[in-house]
Amino acid sequence: MFLGTHPLRLDDKGRLFLPAKYREELSGGLVITKGQERCLYVFPTAEFERITDALAGAPVTARSVRAYGRVFFASASDEVPDKSGRITVPPPLRAYAGLTRDCVVIGANTRLEIWDASAWESYLQAEEESFAEISEEVLPGIL
């Protein structure tokens, strides 16, 4: 389970350090791909394989399944962190998420998300106001 908010910096070569608390879990490999709202999703390899299996079971005759799978897999990049816990974010993914220097890595349960720091702040400001209201819809009877 990935939790928390971790401010990080992208270096001139497009690399960033993974949050220290998750380096061991991700040391064997991970997959970075496009996420919603112009962030990047970072999945441990095993979680990406689980999602791949689930999508393989979806009907290929459904246009939305084909469209989502094309973008999701075509933009995916498998990475292995170096000994220091750094990963390289490929240029097309950096461009998609608008990543320049200041980034935020957030824990999102089974994945990490990489955001441009200012984009994350804007998103958080816009969504925090509705956070309490949507709990009834997202987690009915649980919280």
Side-chain angles (χ1 to χ4, degrees), residues 29 34 83:
K34 290 179 179 179
K83 292 178 184 176

Side-chain angles (χ1 to χ4, degrees), residues 13 16 26 30 35-36 38 57 61 63 109 123 134 139-140:
K13 295 180 181 177
L16 60 80
L26 298 170
L30 54 92
Q36 274 67 48
R38 295 271 178 187
T61 54
R63 182 180 202 156
N109 194 3
Y123 177 82
I134 63 174
L139 300 167

Side-chain angles (χ1 to χ4, degrees), residues 5-34:
T5 302
H6 312 272
L8 298 169
R9 288 216 161 162
L10 204 60
D11 72 14
D12 294 336
K13 295 180 181 177
R15 299 175 302 190
L16 60 80
F17 285 97
L18 293 168
K21 68 191 287 183
Y22 300 124
R23 287 181 192 161
E24 186 176 329
E25 183 175 351
L26 298 170
S27 65
L30 54 92
V31 177
I32 308 170
T33 192
K34 290 179 179 179

